[in-house]
Amino acid sequence: MSTNNTFNTLNRRAFLRNSSLAGGGLLIGFNLFQACKPKVIAQPAIDLATLDYNDFNAFIKIADNGAVTIFSPNPEVGQGVKTSMPMIIAEELDVAWDNVYVEQGILDTNNYTRQVAGGSQSIRFGWDALRQTGAAAKQMLVSAAAARWGVDASECTVNEGIITNAAGETLGYGDVVQDAAQLEVPENVPLKKTSEYKIMGKDTPNVDIDKIVTGKSLYGMDYKAEGMVYASVLRPPAFGQKLVSYDDSAARAMPGVVDIFTIGEKLRGMAEENPGVTGIISDSDKVVVLANSTWEAMKAKNAIKAEWEQATKAESTEEHDKILTNLLDGNKFETLRSDGNVKKALAEADQVLERTYESPFLPHSCMEPMNFFADITDEKVHLVGPIQTPERTAGMVSQLLGREVDDIHLEMTRIGGGFGRRLYGNFALEAAEISDKAKKPVKLVFSREEDMEDGIYRMSIKYRIKAGVKDGKVTAYHLKEAAVNSNMYGLVPNFFPAGAIENYQVDTAKYDSNITTGAWRAPYTNFLAYAEQSFFDELAELMEVDKIQLRLDLLDNVKPDEDERIQYSPERMKEVIKVAVEKSGWGKKPEHVHQGFVNYYCHNTHVAEVADVEIENGEPVLKKITCVVDCGIVVNPIGAKNLVEGGVLDGIGHSLFGELAFKDGKPTANNFDRYRLLRIKEAPIVETHFIDNGLSPTGLGEPALPPAAGAVANAFKSATGNRLYKQPFTKTPELLKVPEKEIIG
């Protein structure tokens, strides 16, 4: 759908009044708390707290001196929304970006919607509302200026916060802001054409970059409050264990220790009404150490002698491996999509290919360990910290404490890495229960080891794919998934190749484990893309057809107009394939360069990637990834490029090295000395290209990650002759060499 010259169809009731501000100015917005500012303000920067704003609306603040501040409502996890979302408003408001202030908003369920960082959906869901917010405010300001001049508003133009009439007279936004605040909010406001954009589509530095590089307070770990103590928690050393007893005599005698006690009772009470909470946090008692510093709290915690008992099974990776294989071999599946008759088509096929792909558990390995601040008193519940789901977290805390959710004041800090881990507020629940019991403001901080030992992991998954070929055509495709704890969400079975193959079926099965699992960057597709795209390459080899052409031929079969379940656009997918072939020099590279191709769709975005590999000392070395992305309009190109490059490198690193095994309920790695990540010297060049089609933005934080592993695996096959069926690839080093003959494994 084109975004050119669309109109605001929202009624006045959508613009929510806010009576908390007073003075001269304008405050307006729709479903998001953000800001900008026109007219250059002298350096040093003005103290925004000294400005007066008029009681108007909840999002854009414009002061009498023309200063504009946009409050960003969504959590900032490094995906750049604190920069790109205000850019959208500033574009339609028509102010100079150099004069824009941006601040982080708080949780406000009355005025803002979807304050979530997850699913690569912030820009997609905010796109229309953000533009309409800026455009409506601009119209009101122009109308106020026109009324003062006694002219029609259509005779006026705006450029960077300066309104000009036909006679050449000018007024700044600050000059008319009080008049504008008295006007009705317009209902049908024309929006800019893409050709008129001055801010969007231009490289814009991160609004927090100066604070980040100079170490100023931004992150949860930076937050401090008067009278605050630090908490470190002794948790069960293995999944399935519970606390029996503990001796804290040595710990109590250590410097800086304020108190030691247990928590867990409130959580168990909450779990009686909400059993799902135990899927993200142990219901065992835990021992809490409060101290005057993080170091003192952690040292004292390590001095506690605790006895634990095995309450539920102590699980191991070796056992999971057998369980998942048995699930794939069994017949207890939930069918998520079934077209035609897969069983019959496979039986009638001339050729059948079947392969199984395996993935391990993965931690999120965020740079900033889990932490949260809580100050619980009879009068207030004050929470501050890095959380991807502030509304959900506030709801859980209200259940835990038996307090009204409206009593909870939650502030979001910048997040030092989330990747899905901070969707789950188990650390916030702990902080709240600790503060409630201690009657003190408390800062809970995990150590790196605690972060990895008591995490919420990407689940281990196996996929088995079986395809049938009849008369040179792919006539059957059967995908089976066996996973620990949960299966792919409902839209995934409608991604490619759904609709491309007449007989198509997706079945899932799961094993319920006491190991906590959850979303990990690009859930399920982060591994499924590699499995499916590796399989299509091998299927093309079996059929003795061109790998790219096989994919294009399958896309020709897709009829989304006839099947509303289809989630992707075959035409947009063909375009990214075409551009990737062109930009990567597919099939035209020197003989020593081996290439691997992948196309994939997830999070509403189409991607194609090509990996270039060369043989050095008998082993394949990844040199370059060419990535072509159709995510619609790119709001901030430099930020978008960073997201793509980061996603590609994340996908490469974890497919090569990422693995977290369990033995007797404990992870086999608890720090980066044993959990291998991609190193700088191993990172290939990532060349990024965006499709410019003027369509509304789609997701970008996740879509570049899933295809990366498949592109690398297919390039490695080209280079070594060996197919890879297990991640991490380095777990089978014999397959990463050029053998005398092909190894199947």
Side-chain angles (χ1 to χ4, degrees):
M1 179 180 68
S2 175
T3 62
N4 286 345
N5 204 27
T6 56
F7 288 84
N8 177 359
T9 59
L10 301 169
N11 62 37
R12 177 174 166 76
R13 295 176 64 84
F15 289 82
L16 305 171
R17 291 281 178 180
N18 186 314
S19 60
S20 63
L21 300 173
L26 173 68
L27 180 62
I28 185 173
F30 178 78
N31 283 348
L32 289 162
F33 196 167
Q34 313 172 241
C36 337
K37 126 200 146 220
K39 217 173 240 181
V40 175
I41 293 178
Q43 296 298 324
I46 194 167
D47 181 1
L48 298 181
T50 66
L51 300 180
D52 291 327
Y53 301 95
N54 194 38
D55 168 16
F56 193 84
N57 260 316
F59 308 89
I60 301 171
K61 295 200 307 185
I62 303 177
D64 281 349
N65 69 345
V68 181
T69 304
I70 303 178
F71 293 83
S72 179
N74 283 29
E76 175 57 68
V77 198
Q79 81 279 42
V81 295
K82 193 176 175 183
T83 303
S84 55
M85 295 177 106
M87 287 175 67
I88 298 170
I89 290 183
E91 182 68 72
E92 293 290 350
L93 184 61
D94 217 333
V95 293
W97 179 253
D98 288 345
N99 302 327
V100 168
Y101 292 112
V102 178
E103 293 186 5
Q104 178 67 57
I106 63 170
L107 174 65
D108 184 346
T109 56
N110 292 322
N111 289 326
Y112 322 126
T113 62
R114 201 185 182 277
Q115 288 185 275
V116 175
S120 300
Q121 299 299 293
S122 293
I123 295 295
R124 178 171 174 255
F125 276 100
W127 175 245
D128 289 331
L130 289 164
R131 289 187 302 151
Q132 291 161 358
T133 293
K138 173 184 171 181
Q139 174 106 358
M140 296 167 76
L141 291 157
V142 170
S143 295
R148 184 174 297 185
W149 285 319
V151 302
D152 192 276
S154 63
E155 299 177 17
C156 302
T157 60
V158 179
N159 182 41
E160 297 190 340
I162 303 298
I163 307 164
T164 304
N165 65 19
E169 297 173 296
T170 62
L171 288 170
Y173 279 175
D175 298 324
V176 296
V177 67
Q178 293 191 52
D179 295 343
Q182 310 307 314
L183 301 179
E184 291 289 319
V185 177
E187 294 188 9
N188 293 294
V189 182
L191 302 175
K192 285 186 177 182
K193 299 177 181 179
T194 54
S195 60
E196 297 173 326
Y197 290 165
K198 300 175 183 177
I199 296 174
M200 287 196 286
K202 306 292 190 300
D203 287 345
T204 303
N206 189 308
V207 295
D208 284 336
I209 193 65
D210 290 341
K211 291 182 179 180
I212 292 171
V213 300
T214 57
K216 290 185 173 64
S217 180
L218 272 174
Y219 297 91
M221 290 291 284
D222 299 324
Y223 187 82
K224 294 179 176 63
E226 185 177 351
M228 184 181 83
V229 293
Y230 292 85
S232 185
V233 178
L234 182 64
R235 301 176 181 84
F239 286 94
Q241 292 189 346
K242 290 191 175 183
L243 181 67
V244 176
S245 63
Y246 68 98
D247 178 359
D248 64 4
S249 55
R252 284 187 177 275
M254 296 179 72
V257 173
V258 174
D259 199 1
I260 299 177
F261 53 81
T262 61
I263 59 169
E265 183 178 350
K266 284 188 178 294
L267 181 75
R268 288 190 293 275
M270 176 184 173
E272 291 179 5
E273 296 183 8
N274 183 6
V277 72
T278 56
I280 63 168
I281 187 171
S282 168
D283 63 355
S284 168
D285 277 342
K286 306 174 187 72
V287 186
V288 178
V289 177
L290 297 184
N292 293 322
S293 71
T294 304
W295 177 250
E296 289 169 327
M298 289 181 176
K299 290 291 286 184
K301 180 202 68 179
N302 293 338
I304 294 173
K305 297 177 181 178
E307 180 184 351
W308 308 88
E309 67 178 3
Q310 200 69 43
T312 56
K313 190 174 183 179
E315 300 183 14
S316 299
T317 292
E318 184 177 348
E319 178 188 24
H320 292 152
D321 182 66
K322 294 176 182 177
I323 289 171
L324 295 183
T325 297
N326 289 338
L327 285 173
L328 289 178
D329 291 339
N331 56 12
K332 294 182 179 180
F333 291 96
E334 179 184 0
T335 298
L336 300 186
R337 176 163 174 152
S338 179
D339 300 342
N341 189 328
V342 165
K343 186 176 181 180
K344 182 173 182 290
L346 287 170
E348 295 174 352
D350 300 327
Q351 298 171 294
V352 174
L353 179 67
E354 181 178 277
R355 292 290 183 262
T356 301
Y357 302 85
E358 304 177 13
S359 68
F361 287 93
L362 292 178
H364 292 85
S365 54
C366 305
M367 184 64 71
E368 178 190 20
M370 300 306 110
N371 67 89
F372 222 73
F373 170 84
D375 186 7
I376 315 298
T377 69
D378 292 340
E379 294 75 32
K380 67 180 181 182
V381 178
H382 184 197
L383 305 175
V384 184
I387 186 70
Q388 292 179 244
T389 50
E391 182 177 355
R392 178 186 178 191
T393 299
M396 289 196 301
V397 170
S398 74
Q399 290 180 42
L400 178 80
L401 302 178
R403 303 282 288 266
E404 293 295 326
V405 72
D406 289 343
D407 294 340
I408 295 174
H409 176 81
L410 191 152
E411 300 174 33
M412 292 167 278
T413 63
R414 191 177 180 92
I415 300 173
F419 313 112
R421 173 62 182 92
R422 287 184 164 98
L423 293 170
Y424 309 96
N426 57 321
F427 44 92
L429 290 174
E430 286 186 348
E433 188 170 2
I434 293 167
S435 176
D436 184 59
K437 189 165 186 174
K439 304 305 178 187
K440 295 182 183 341
V442 170
K443 176 72 165 291
L444 171 65
V445 180
F446 283 46
S447 67
R448 175 66 60 196
E449 290 78 9
E450 290 166 347
D451 223 6
M452 294 185 72
E453 290 173 350
D454 193 43
I456 295 177
Y457 312 97
R458 183 188 84 169
M459 62 287 295
S460 178
I461 296 179
K462 291 190 180 186
Y463 289 111
R464 182 171 294 166
I465 307 176
K466 190 174 185 178
V469 178
K470 178 74 172 179
D471 298 328
K473 304 288 185 182
V474 182
T475 56
Y477 187 92
H478 192 186
L479 171 68
K480 294 181 180 179
E481 176 189 75
V484 174
N485 283 336
S486 63
N487 295 112
M488 67 175 76
Y489 53 92
L491 294 181
V492 176
N494 300 312
F495 296 174
F496 181 78
I501 300 166
E502 183 178 359
N503 303 288
Y504 171 85
Q505 186 166 323
V506 177
D507 293 331
T508 63
K510 69 182 176 71
Y511 164 70
D512 292 324
S513 168
N514 57 25
I515 295 172
T516 50
T517 60
W520 191 96
R521 192 175 188 179
Y524 305 101
T525 60
N526 56 51
F527 178 61
L528 178 58
Y530 146 74
E532 287 192 317
Q533 290 294 310
S534 242
F535 184 84
F536 276 115
D537 252 36
E538 192 166 358
L539 186 60
E541 292 170 0
L542 175 71
M543 297 170 67
E544 298 182 341
V545 298
D546 181 83
K547 296 168 183 175
I548 305 290
Q549 194 59 50
L550 172 62
R551 291 166 165 89
L552 293 173
D553 290 344
L554 289 171
L555 287 167
D556 282 339
N557 298 332
V558 183
K559 304 291 188 262
D561 292 339
E562 300 174 11
D563 185 351
E564 63 181 11
R565 296 172 298 172
I566 299 299
Q567 295 296 306
Y568 62 98
S569 162
E571 298 308 317
R572 294 176 78 167
M573 184 69 82
K574 289 177 191 176
E575 182 64 15
V576 295
I577 291 174
K578 171 188 169 184
V579 175
V581 167
E582 173 193 342
K583 298 296 185 181
S584 68
W586 177 263
K588 299 178 181 178
K589 289 292 181 78
E591 199 172 293
H592 69 281
V593 178
H594 304 270
Q595 294 186 302
F597 179 87
V598 164
N599 63 277
Y600 202 68
Y601 166 92
C602 67
H603 299 88
N604 310 102
T605 291
H606 302 75
V607 179
E609 295 182 18
V610 176
D612 289 3
V613 164
E614 298 178 21
I615 297 295
E616 295 180 2
N617 300 318
E619 296 184 359
V621 176
L622 181 60
K623 296 292 187 177
K624 181 180 179 182
I625 296 282
T626 303
C627 185
V628 177
V629 180
D630 178 356
C631 61
I633 292 171
V634 177
V635 175
N636 184 9
I638 191 171
K641 184 179 178 184
N642 288 339
L643 278 178
V644 170
E645 291 183 357
V648 168
L649 295 178
D650 203 6
I652 291 168
H654 281 92
S655 65
L656 285 171
F657 308 114
E659 179 181 30
L660 192 73
F662 286 84
K663 185 172 177 58
D664 297 327
K666 292 188 68 172
T668 56
N670 65 4
N671 212 321
F672 295 137
D673 58 337
R674 299 188 65 186
Y675 183 74
R676 178 83 152 81
L677 294 170
L678 187 73
R679 294 166 183 159
I680 291 176
K681 67 178 182 180
E682 296 163 335
I685 295 169
V686 179
E687 182 183 293
T688 305
H689 302 273
F690 294 103
I691 302 295
D692 183 8
N693 54 22
L695 300 177
S696 296
T698 56
L700 195 56
E702 291 159 291
L705 184 149
V712 172
N714 289 338
F716 280 4
K717 167 58 170 66
S718 175
T720 67
N722 301 329
R723 281 273 167 213
L724 299 164
Y725 300 105
K726 297 180 181 180
Q727 289 187 7
F729 300 152
T730 51
K731 193 172 183 179
T732 50
E734 69 276 10
L735 299 179
L736 300 180
K737 299 181 182 297
V738 181
E740 294 182 5
K741 59 181 181 180
E742 183 175 351
I743 300 173
I744 303 297

